[in-house]
Amino acid sequence: MIKIQNLKKYYGKDLVINDVSLEIKKGEIYAIVGHSGAGKSTLLRCINALEEYQEGKLEVLGLDVKNLTQNNPKELINLRKDIGMIFQNFALMNRKSVFENVAMPLRVHYTSSKFYSKLFKKAYLSEEKIKQRVNELLDIVGLSNKLKAYPKELSGGQKQRVAIARALALNPKILLSDEATSALDPNTTKNILELIAQINAEFGISVVLVTHEMEVVKDIAKKAVLLEHGQIIGQGAIDELFLKPNAKMKEFLGESEFLPKNGINIRLYFPKEIAQNSIVTHMARALNIDFSIVWGRIEKLNNTAVGNLVININEKDKQSVLEYIEKSGVLWEMADE
Ligand SMILES: Nc1ncnc2c1ncn2[C@@H]1O[C@H](COP(=O)(O)OP(=O)(O)O)[C@@H](O)[C@H]1O
Ligand SMILES: [Mg+2]
């Protein structure tokens, strides 16, 4: 669906996308995460062909974007039709009603005049059909009652719903979201993400979520890349990124570990199936040992818990503890190494 291979993009001499490769499959919800300035928005603009790139290959819906941009303006218009986009600042037309905001892509892509349709060879869509489609879209986002309202009369969450309806107007196959929830409060953020997940499930639209907050998207995205200074510094399934964060990922999540110097620190990884079992307390009882939990992270991801825990034990208990852990099926490693 979206295939990026060794992409490089410069602004002047500045390399802002540095050898990025990733693949987003049909129907996936994929997160691109990173601090401000990492190159997330630039990458999105490359995907929808609003931005040129200098090296590498970028294929969207089976089409080579560079080739289209240079040689095939007609196909480029079709590609853009297949990609809807939403933004942090909503980008609504403030002087137009909700109805007209949502109708806008239809009016740009089609004409409701048979005369113009013939004259300019532009696809025809009757005013009646436009009305029908806009109503359908407002129904999907739950704003049927705001048809005649103006953006200034809406809350942030409602404005983003209008923007989502507009982004879906031409039946896109891909929805790009550039920090779409960053201006919203946590509750509204949750509702908007639920709507996006519902749209993904119902219409099979692939979603690319750009965000500077991994926390925000971890419940709905299945895969993610972590971007820093234009480079990918972490990539994979979200539960694995959280379960076994590399050093960069830990830094991004704002975690640092201070492990005790005495005794032995063992890191345990709890995969989905056994995260909620109280293996550690059972072990302490079964072996009759003392231990302390010196670091931990349990995450709720896509409704299952995964975790990563560091326990500190006495040197003398090492052998029996490791045997017990091995038997339990929990993954482990020595935490200091
Ligand atoms: N139009 C532009 N011209 C020059 N530099 C730009 C332009 N847009 C973005 N940049 C630079 O490219 C880098 C990546 O920016 P951006 O993609 O907006 O990051 P993010 O969306 O992750 O915050 C930044 O260093 C930014 O200053
Ligand atoms: Mg940005």
Side-chain angles (χ1 to χ4, degrees), residues 243-273:
L243 185 64
K244 285 192 168 186
N246 63 19
K248 291 285 189 185
M249 179 77 181
K250 275 182 201 154
E251 194 183 303
F252 183 79
L253 294 169
E255 292 175 352
S256 44
E257 298 172 0
F258 298 100
L259 302 179
K261 297 270 183 291
N262 299 326
I264 291 183
N265 299 311
I266 302 174
R267 185 188 307 280
L268 307 173
Y269 296 108
F270 296 89
K272 282 178 198 159
E273 312 79 57

PDB file of all heavy atoms in Angstrom, residues 243-273:
ATOM      1  N   LEU A 243       7.433  -3.513  24.951  1.00  0.00           N
ATOM      2  CA  LEU A 243       7.886  -4.624  25.785  1.00  0.00           C
ATOM      3  C   LEU A 243       9.404  -4.645  25.891  1.00  0.00           C
ATOM      4  O   LEU A 243       9.966  -4.835  26.961  1.00  0.00           O
ATOM      5  CB  LEU A 243       7.377  -5.936  25.173  1.00  0.00           C
ATOM      6  CG  LEU A 243       7.634  -7.204  25.960  1.00  0.00           C
ATOM      7  CD1 LEU A 243       6.889  -7.160  27.282  1.00  0.00           C
ATOM      8  CD2 LEU A 243       7.171  -8.429  25.170  1.00  0.00           C
ATOM      9  N   LYS A 244      10.045  -4.447  24.749  1.00  0.00           N
ATOM     10  CA  LYS A 244      11.508  -4.465  24.734  1.00  0.00           C
ATOM     11  C   LYS A 244      12.030  -3.185  24.122  1.00  0.00           C
ATOM     12  O   LYS A 244      12.619  -3.195  23.045  1.00  0.00           O
ATOM     13  CB  LYS A 244      11.998  -5.652  23.895  1.00  0.00           C
ATOM     14  CG  LYS A 244      11.877  -6.999  24.563  1.00  0.00           C
ATOM     15  CD  LYS A 244      12.650  -8.022  23.752  1.00  0.00           C
ATOM     16  CE  LYS A 244      12.802  -9.309  24.544  1.00  0.00           C
ATOM     17  NZ  LYS A 244      13.655 -10.269  23.853  1.00  0.00           N
ATOM     18  N   PRO A 245      11.835  -2.061  24.791  1.00  0.00           N
ATOM     19  CA  PRO A 245      12.275  -0.795  24.198  1.00  0.00           C
ATOM     20  C   PRO A 245      13.789  -0.738  24.091  1.00  0.00           C
ATOM     21  O   PRO A 245      14.481  -1.131  25.019  1.00  0.00           O
ATOM     22  CB  PRO A 245      11.745   0.257  25.184  1.00  0.00           C
ATOM     23  CG  PRO A 245      11.548  -0.466  26.468  1.00  0.00           C
ATOM     24  CD  PRO A 245      11.274  -1.890  26.140  1.00  0.00           C
ATOM     25  N   ASN A 246      14.296  -0.286  22.937  1.00  0.00           N
ATOM     26  CA  ASN A 246      15.747  -0.082  22.842  1.00  0.00           C
ATOM     27  C   ASN A 246      16.094   1.221  23.566  1.00  0.00           C
ATOM     28  O   ASN A 246      15.222   1.947  24.036  1.00  0.00           O
ATOM     29  CB  ASN A 246      16.210  -0.086  21.369  1.00  0.00           C
ATOM     30  CG  ASN A 246      15.604   1.048  20.563  1.00  0.00           C
ATOM     31  OD1 ASN A 246      15.127   2.047  21.117  1.00  0.00           O
ATOM     32  ND2 ASN A 246      15.600   0.895  19.251  1.00  0.00           N
ATOM     33  N   ALA A 247      17.372   1.533  23.629  1.00  0.00           N
ATOM     34  CA  ALA A 247      17.804   2.692  24.424  1.00  0.00           C
ATOM     35  C   ALA A 247      17.124   3.979  23.953  1.00  0.00           C
ATOM     36  O   ALA A 247      16.675   4.795  24.755  1.00  0.00           O
ATOM     37  CB  ALA A 247      19.316   2.823  24.336  1.00  0.00           C
ATOM     38  N   LYS A 248      17.013   4.141  22.643  1.00  0.00           N
ATOM     39  CA  LYS A 248      16.405   5.353  22.073  1.00  0.00           C
ATOM     40  C   LYS A 248      14.930   5.451  22.440  1.00  0.00           C
ATOM     41  O   LYS A 248      14.404   6.525  22.717  1.00  0.00           O
ATOM     42  CB  LYS A 248      16.533   5.342  20.548  1.00  0.00           C
ATOM     43  CG  LYS A 248      17.937   5.522  20.059  1.00  0.00           C
ATOM     44  CD  LYS A 248      18.372   6.971  20.214  1.00  0.00           C
ATOM     45  CE  LYS A 248      19.695   7.218  19.535  1.00  0.00           C
ATOM     46  NZ  LYS A 248      20.173   8.591  19.796  1.00  0.00           N
ATOM     47  N   MET A 249      14.278   4.309  22.382  1.00  0.00           N
ATOM     48  CA  MET A 249      12.855   4.271  22.694  1.00  0.00           C
ATOM     49  C   MET A 249      12.631   4.635  24.161  1.00  0.00           C
ATOM     50  O   MET A 249      11.733   5.390  24.499  1.00  0.00           O
ATOM     51  CB  MET A 249      12.331   2.863  22.391  1.00  0.00           C
ATOM     52  CG  MET A 249      10.876   2.658  22.696  1.00  0.00           C
ATOM     53  SD  MET A 249       9.811   3.371  21.447  1.00  0.00           S
ATOM     54  CE  MET A 249       8.233   2.964  22.176  1.00  0.00           C
ATOM     55  N   LYS A 250      13.490   4.115  25.040  1.00  0.00           N
ATOM     56  CA  LYS A 250      13.384   4.435  26.466  1.00  0.00           C
ATOM     57  C   LYS A 250      13.551   5.926  26.681  1.00  0.00           C
ATOM     58  O   LYS A 250      12.818   6.547  27.435  1.00  0.00           O
ATOM     59  CB  LYS A 250      14.480   3.704  27.244  1.00  0.00           C
ATOM     60  CG  LYS A 250      14.093   2.303  27.621  1.00  0.00           C
ATOM     61  CD  LYS A 250      15.222   1.688  28.440  1.00  0.00           C
ATOM     62  CE  LYS A 250      15.116   0.182  28.403  1.00  0.00           C
ATOM     63  NZ  LYS A 250      16.389  -0.473  28.610  1.00  0.00           N
ATOM     64  N   GLU A 251      14.529   6.475  25.981  1.00  0.00           N
ATOM     65  CA  GLU A 251      14.796   7.899  26.105  1.00  0.00           C
ATOM     66  C   GLU A 251      13.572   8.688  25.652  1.00  0.00           C
ATOM     67  O   GLU A 251      13.146   9.637  26.298  1.00  0.00           O
ATOM     68  CB  GLU A 251      15.999   8.217  25.222  1.00  0.00           C
ATOM     69  CG  GLU A 251      16.645   9.551  25.461  1.00  0.00           C
ATOM     70  CD  GLU A 251      17.781   9.744  24.448  1.00  0.00           C
ATOM     71  OE1 GLU A 251      18.697   8.895  24.412  1.00  0.00           O
ATOM     72  OE2 GLU A 251      17.718  10.718  23.692  1.00  0.00           O
ATOM     73  N   PHE A 252      12.983   8.234  24.532  1.00  0.00           N
ATOM     74  CA  PHE A 252      11.808   8.924  24.001  1.00  0.00           C
ATOM     75  C   PHE A 252      10.644   8.856  24.976  1.00  0.00           C
ATOM     76  O   PHE A 252       9.899   9.809  25.162  1.00  0.00           O
ATOM     77  CB  PHE A 252      11.407   8.301  22.658  1.00  0.00           C
ATOM     78  CG  PHE A 252      10.246   9.011  22.030  1.00  0.00           C
ATOM     79  CD1 PHE A 252      10.455  10.211  21.356  1.00  0.00           C
ATOM     80  CD2 PHE A 252       8.964   8.504  22.128  1.00  0.00           C
ATOM     81  CE1 PHE A 252       9.387  10.888  20.793  1.00  0.00           C
ATOM     82  CE2 PHE A 252       7.900   9.182  21.569  1.00  0.00           C
ATOM     83  CZ  PHE A 252       8.110  10.368  20.894  1.00  0.00           C
ATOM     84  N   LEU A 253      10.494   7.709  25.611  1.00  0.00           N
ATOM     85  CA  LEU A 253       9.390   7.541  26.558  1.00  0.00           C
ATOM     86  C   LEU A 253       9.684   8.226  27.893  1.00  0.00           C
ATOM     87  O   LEU A 253       8.869   8.241  28.798  1.00  0.00           O
ATOM     88  CB  LEU A 253       9.117   6.050  26.796  1.00  0.00           C
ATOM     89  CG  LEU A 253       8.589   5.271  25.595  1.00  0.00           C
ATOM     90  CD1 LEU A 253       8.610   3.777  25.873  1.00  0.00           C
ATOM     91  CD2 LEU A 253       7.193   5.723  25.215  1.00  0.00           C
ATOM     92  N   GLY A 254      10.881   8.785  27.997  1.00  0.00           N
ATOM     93  CA  GLY A 254      11.231   9.531  29.204  1.00  0.00           C
ATOM     94  C   GLY A 254      11.518   8.632  30.391  1.00  0.00           C
ATOM     95  O   GLY A 254      11.202   8.947  31.525  1.00  0.00           O
ATOM     96  N   GLU A 255      12.100   7.473  30.110  1.00  0.00           N
ATOM     97  CA  GLU A 255      12.381   6.555  31.203  1.00  0.00           C
ATOM     98  C   GLU A 255      13.866   6.458  31.433  1.00  0.00           C
ATOM     99  O   GLU A 255      14.646   6.404  30.518  1.00  0.00           O
ATOM    100  CB  GLU A 255      11.929   5.145  30.824  1.00  0.00           C
ATOM    101  CG  GLU A 255      10.452   5.028  30.728  1.00  0.00           C
ATOM    102  CD  GLU A 255      10.086   3.650  30.225  1.00  0.00           C
ATOM    103  OE1 GLU A 255      10.984   2.879  29.828  1.00  0.00           O
ATOM    104  OE2 GLU A 255       8.895   3.375  30.235  1.00  0.00           O
ATOM    105  N   SER A 256      14.276   6.421  32.653  1.00  0.00           N
ATOM    106  CA  SER A 256      15.654   6.031  32.898  1.00  0.00           C
ATOM    107  C   SER A 256      15.642   5.083  34.082  1.00  0.00           C
ATOM    108  O   SER A 256      14.834   5.219  34.996  1.00  0.00           O
ATOM    109  CB  SER A 256      16.525   7.242  33.159  1.00  0.00           C
ATOM    110  OG  SER A 256      15.858   8.116  34.030  1.00  0.00           O
ATOM    111  N   GLU A 257      16.518   4.137  34.021  1.00  0.00           N
ATOM    112  CA  GLU A 257      16.532   3.130  35.075  1.00  0.00           C
ATOM    113  C   GLU A 257      17.696   3.389  36.023  1.00  0.00           C
ATOM    114  O   GLU A 257      18.793   3.678  35.582  1.00  0.00           O
ATOM    115  CB  GLU A 257      16.736   1.739  34.461  1.00  0.00           C
ATOM    116  CG  GLU A 257      15.651   1.322  33.523  1.00  0.00           C
ATOM    117  CD  GLU A 257      16.008   0.026  32.807  1.00  0.00           C
ATOM    118  OE1 GLU A 257      17.099  -0.533  33.055  1.00  0.00           O
ATOM    119  OE2 GLU A 257      15.197  -0.413  32.010  1.00  0.00           O
ATOM    120  N   PHE A 258      17.445   3.297  37.293  1.00  0.00           N
ATOM    121  CA  PHE A 258      18.523   3.331  38.267  1.00  0.00           C
ATOM    122  C   PHE A 258      18.468   2.008  39.005  1.00  0.00           C
ATOM    123  O   PHE A 258      17.643   1.821  39.886  1.00  0.00           O
ATOM    124  CB  PHE A 258      18.359   4.510  39.227  1.00  0.00           C
ATOM    125  CG  PHE A 258      18.413   5.826  38.523  1.00  0.00           C
ATOM    126  CD1 PHE A 258      17.254   6.512  38.217  1.00  0.00           C
ATOM    127  CD2 PHE A 258      19.637   6.363  38.135  1.00  0.00           C
ATOM    128  CE1 PHE A 258      17.306   7.721  37.545  1.00  0.00           C
ATOM    129  CE2 PHE A 258      19.700   7.573  37.460  1.00  0.00           C
ATOM    130  CZ  PHE A 258      18.529   8.255  37.164  1.00  0.00           C
ATOM    131  N   LEU A 259      19.319   1.095  38.592  1.00  0.00           N
ATOM    132  CA  LEU A 259      19.267  -0.239  39.187  1.00  0.00           C
ATOM    133  C   LEU A 259      20.238  -0.318  40.358  1.00  0.00           C
ATOM    134  O   LEU A 259      21.319   0.268  40.318  1.00  0.00           O
ATOM    135  CB  LEU A 259      19.617  -1.292  38.132  1.00  0.00           C
ATOM    136  CG  LEU A 259      18.725  -1.291  36.888  1.00  0.00           C
ATOM    137  CD1 LEU A 259      19.185  -2.350  35.895  1.00  0.00           C
ATOM    138  CD2 LEU A 259      17.259  -1.505  37.245  1.00  0.00           C
ATOM    139  N   PRO A 260      19.837  -1.051  41.404  1.00  0.00           N
ATOM    140  CA  PRO A 260      20.708  -1.173  42.574  1.00  0.00           C
ATOM    141  C   PRO A 260      22.041  -1.841  42.222  1.00  0.00           C
ATOM    142  O   PRO A 260      22.093  -2.674  41.327  1.00  0.00           O
ATOM    143  CB  PRO A 260      19.918  -2.072  43.524  1.00  0.00           C
ATOM    144  CG  PRO A 260      18.590  -2.272  42.927  1.00  0.00           C
ATOM    145  CD  PRO A 260      18.574  -1.774  41.531  1.00  0.00           C
ATOM    146  N   LYS A 261      23.081  -1.442  42.948  1.00  0.00           N
ATOM    147  CA  LYS A 261      24.417  -2.017  42.700  1.00  0.00           C
ATOM    148  C   LYS A 261      24.576  -3.357  43.428  1.00  0.00           C
ATOM    149  O   LYS A 261      25.384  -4.180  43.038  1.00  0.00           O
ATOM    150  CB  LYS A 261      25.513  -1.060  43.190  1.00  0.00           C
ATOM    151  CG  LYS A 261      25.517   0.259  42.441  1.00  0.00           C
ATOM    152  CD  LYS A 261      26.436   0.182  41.218  1.00  0.00           C
ATOM    153  CE  LYS A 261      26.524   1.508  40.489  1.00  0.00           C
ATOM    154  NZ  LYS A 261      25.274   1.891  39.804  1.00  0.00           N
ATOM    155  N   ASN A 262      23.825  -3.534  44.497  1.00  0.00           N
ATOM    156  CA  ASN A 262      23.930  -4.785  45.263  1.00  0.00           C
ATOM    157  C   ASN A 262      23.003  -5.850  44.693  1.00  0.00           C
ATOM    158  O   ASN A 262      21.983  -5.531  44.098  1.00  0.00           O
ATOM    159  CB  ASN A 262      23.544  -4.551  46.724  1.00  0.00           C
ATOM    160  CG  ASN A 262      24.469  -3.539  47.372  1.00  0.00           C
ATOM    161  OD1 ASN A 262      25.657  -3.485  47.049  1.00  0.00           O
ATOM    162  ND2 ASN A 262      23.909  -2.732  48.267  1.00  0.00           N
ATOM    163  N   GLY A 263      23.369  -7.102  44.942  1.00  0.00           N
ATOM    164  CA  GLY A 263      22.514  -8.190  44.508  1.00  0.00           C
ATOM    165  C   GLY A 263      22.538  -8.343  43.001  1.00  0.00           C
ATOM    166  O   GLY A 263      23.441  -7.877  42.321  1.00  0.00           O
ATOM    167  N   ILE A 264      21.502  -9.013  42.484  1.00  0.00           N
ATOM    168  CA  ILE A 264      21.464  -9.316  41.064  1.00  0.00           C
ATOM    169  C   ILE A 264      20.166  -8.773  40.480  1.00  0.00           C
ATOM    170  O   ILE A 264      19.088  -8.970  41.041  1.00  0.00           O
ATOM    171  CB  ILE A 264      21.534 -10.842  40.850  1.00  0.00           C
ATOM    172  CG1 ILE A 264      22.945 -11.298  41.240  1.00  0.00           C
ATOM    173  CG2 ILE A 264      21.224 -11.216  39.420  1.00  0.00           C
ATOM    174  CD1 ILE A 264      23.179 -12.750  41.019  1.00  0.00           C
ATOM    175  N   ASN A 265      20.288  -8.052  39.363  1.00  0.00           N
ATOM    176  CA  ASN A 265      19.093  -7.513  38.710  1.00  0.00           C
ATOM    177  C   ASN A 265      18.729  -8.369  37.510  1.00  0.00           C
ATOM    178  O   ASN A 265      19.545  -8.594  36.623  1.00  0.00           O
ATOM    179  CB  ASN A 265      19.360  -6.079  38.251  1.00  0.00           C
ATOM    180  CG  ASN A 265      19.679  -5.166  39.426  1.00  0.00           C
ATOM    181  OD1 ASN A 265      18.951  -5.157  40.420  1.00  0.00           O
ATOM    182  ND2 ASN A 265      20.768  -4.418  39.320  1.00  0.00           N
ATOM    183  N   ILE A 266      17.504  -8.841  37.522  1.00  0.00           N
ATOM    184  CA  ILE A 266      17.044  -9.677  36.404  1.00  0.00           C
ATOM    185  C   ILE A 266      15.856  -9.005  35.747  1.00  0.00           C
ATOM    186  O   ILE A 266      14.897  -8.606  36.417  1.00  0.00           O
ATOM    187  CB  ILE A 266      16.615 -11.074  36.891  1.00  0.00           C
ATOM    188  CG1 ILE A 266      17.793 -11.749  37.596  1.00  0.00           C
ATOM    189  CG2 ILE A 266      16.125 -11.924  35.724  1.00  0.00           C
ATOM    190  CD1 ILE A 266      17.410 -13.065  38.243  1.00  0.00           C
ATOM    191  N   ARG A 267      15.946  -8.864  34.442  1.00  0.00           N
ATOM    192  CA  ARG A 267      14.842  -8.244  33.716  1.00  0.00           C
ATOM    193  C   ARG A 267      13.916  -9.326  33.164  1.00  0.00           C
ATOM    194  O   ARG A 267      14.364 -10.277  32.529  1.00  0.00           O
ATOM    195  CB  ARG A 267      15.366  -7.391  32.561  1.00  0.00           C
ATOM    196  CG  ARG A 267      14.265  -6.607  31.839  1.00  0.00           C
ATOM    197  CD  ARG A 267      14.792  -5.941  30.588  1.00  0.00           C
ATOM    198  NE  ARG A 267      15.970  -5.139  30.886  1.00  0.00           N
ATOM    199  CZ  ARG A 267      15.923  -3.914  31.413  1.00  0.00           C
ATOM    200  NH1 ARG A 267      14.763  -3.353  31.667  1.00  0.00           N
ATOM    201  NH2 ARG A 267      17.031  -3.269  31.670  1.00  0.00           N
ATOM    202  N   LEU A 268      12.641  -9.164  33.426  1.00  0.00           N
ATOM    203  CA  LEU A 268      11.657 -10.140  32.965  1.00  0.00           C
ATOM    204  C   LEU A 268      10.752  -9.495  31.924  1.00  0.00           C
ATOM    205  O   LEU A 268      10.326  -8.354  32.099  1.00  0.00           O
ATOM    206  CB  LEU A 268      10.794 -10.600  34.153  1.00  0.00           C
ATOM    207  CG  LEU A 268      11.550 -11.111  35.375  1.00  0.00           C
ATOM    208  CD1 LEU A 268      10.581 -11.364  36.527  1.00  0.00           C
ATOM    209  CD2 LEU A 268      12.298 -12.388  35.023  1.00  0.00           C
ATOM    210  N   TYR A 269      10.506 -10.208  30.863  1.00  0.00           N
ATOM    211  CA  TYR A 269       9.575  -9.722  29.842  1.00  0.00           C
ATOM    212  C   TYR A 269       8.324 -10.574  29.878  1.00  0.00           C
ATOM    213  O   TYR A 269       8.390 -11.776  29.684  1.00  0.00           O
ATOM    214  CB  TYR A 269      10.195  -9.829  28.452  1.00  0.00           C
ATOM    215  CG  TYR A 269      11.406  -8.956  28.265  1.00  0.00           C
ATOM    216  CD1 TYR A 269      12.676  -9.521  28.185  1.00  0.00           C
ATOM    217  CD2 TYR A 269      11.272  -7.577  28.154  1.00  0.00           C
ATOM    218  CE1 TYR A 269      13.792  -8.718  28.004  1.00  0.00           C
ATOM    219  CE2 TYR A 269      12.386  -6.771  27.974  1.00  0.00           C
ATOM    220  CZ  TYR A 269      13.642  -7.352  27.898  1.00  0.00           C
ATOM    221  OH  TYR A 269      14.737  -6.575  27.716  1.00  0.00           O
ATOM    222  N   PHE A 270       7.232  -9.923  30.117  1.00  0.00           N
ATOM    223  CA  PHE A 270       5.968 -10.658  30.145  1.00  0.00           C
ATOM    224  C   PHE A 270       5.251 -10.483  28.828  1.00  0.00           C
ATOM    225  O   PHE A 270       4.779  -9.401  28.531  1.00  0.00           O
ATOM    226  CB  PHE A 270       5.074 -10.145  31.267  1.00  0.00           C
ATOM    227  CG  PHE A 270       5.644 -10.361  32.623  1.00  0.00           C
ATOM    228  CD1 PHE A 270       6.462  -9.411  33.210  1.00  0.00           C
ATOM    229  CD2 PHE A 270       5.377 -11.533  33.305  1.00  0.00           C
ATOM    230  CE1 PHE A 270       6.994  -9.609  34.467  1.00  0.00           C
ATOM    231  CE2 PHE A 270       5.912 -11.743  34.570  1.00  0.00           C
ATOM    232  CZ  PHE A 270       6.724 -10.780  35.146  1.00  0.00           C
ATOM    233  N   PRO A 271       5.172 -11.505  28.034  1.00  0.00           N
ATOM    234  CA  PRO A 271       4.400 -11.387  26.797  1.00  0.00           C
ATOM    235  C   PRO A 271       2.915 -11.333  27.136  1.00  0.00           C
ATOM    236  O   PRO A 271       2.528 -11.505  28.292  1.00  0.00           O
ATOM    237  CB  PRO A 271       4.755 -12.650  26.025  1.00  0.00           C
ATOM    238  CG  PRO A 271       5.214 -13.616  27.042  1.00  0.00           C
ATOM    239  CD  PRO A 271       5.741 -12.837  28.213  1.00  0.00           C
ATOM    240  N   LYS A 272       2.115 -11.101  26.106  1.00  0.00           N
ATOM    241  CA  LYS A 272       0.678 -10.897  26.297  1.00  0.00           C
ATOM    242  C   LYS A 272       0.018 -11.950  27.182  1.00  0.00           C
ATOM    243  O   LYS A 272      -0.752 -11.640  28.061  1.00  0.00           O
ATOM    244  CB  LYS A 272      -0.032 -10.936  24.943  1.00  0.00           C
ATOM    245  CG  LYS A 272       0.123  -9.662  24.167  1.00  0.00           C
ATOM    246  CD  LYS A 272      -0.565  -9.805  22.829  1.00  0.00           C
ATOM    247  CE  LYS A 272      -0.056  -8.753  21.877  1.00  0.00           C
ATOM    248  NZ  LYS A 272      -0.260  -9.072  20.498  1.00  0.00           N
ATOM    249  N   GLU A 273       0.362 -13.227  26.929  1.00  0.00           N
ATOM    250  CA  GLU A 273      -0.400 -14.313  27.554  1.00  0.00           C
ATOM    251  C   GLU A 273      -0.237 -14.367  29.071  1.00  0.00           C
ATOM    252  O   GLU A 273      -1.149 -14.759  29.785  1.00  0.00           O
ATOM    253  CB  GLU A 273       0.023 -15.683  26.988  1.00  0.00           C
ATOM    254  CG  GLU A 273       0.099 -15.774  25.473  1.00  0.00           C
ATOM    255  CD  GLU A 273       1.372 -15.158  24.917  1.00  0.00           C
ATOM    256  OE1 GLU A 273       2.462 -15.586  25.328  1.00  0.00           O
ATOM    257  OE2 GLU A 273       1.280 -14.237  24.081  1.00  0.00           O
TER     258      GLU A 273
END
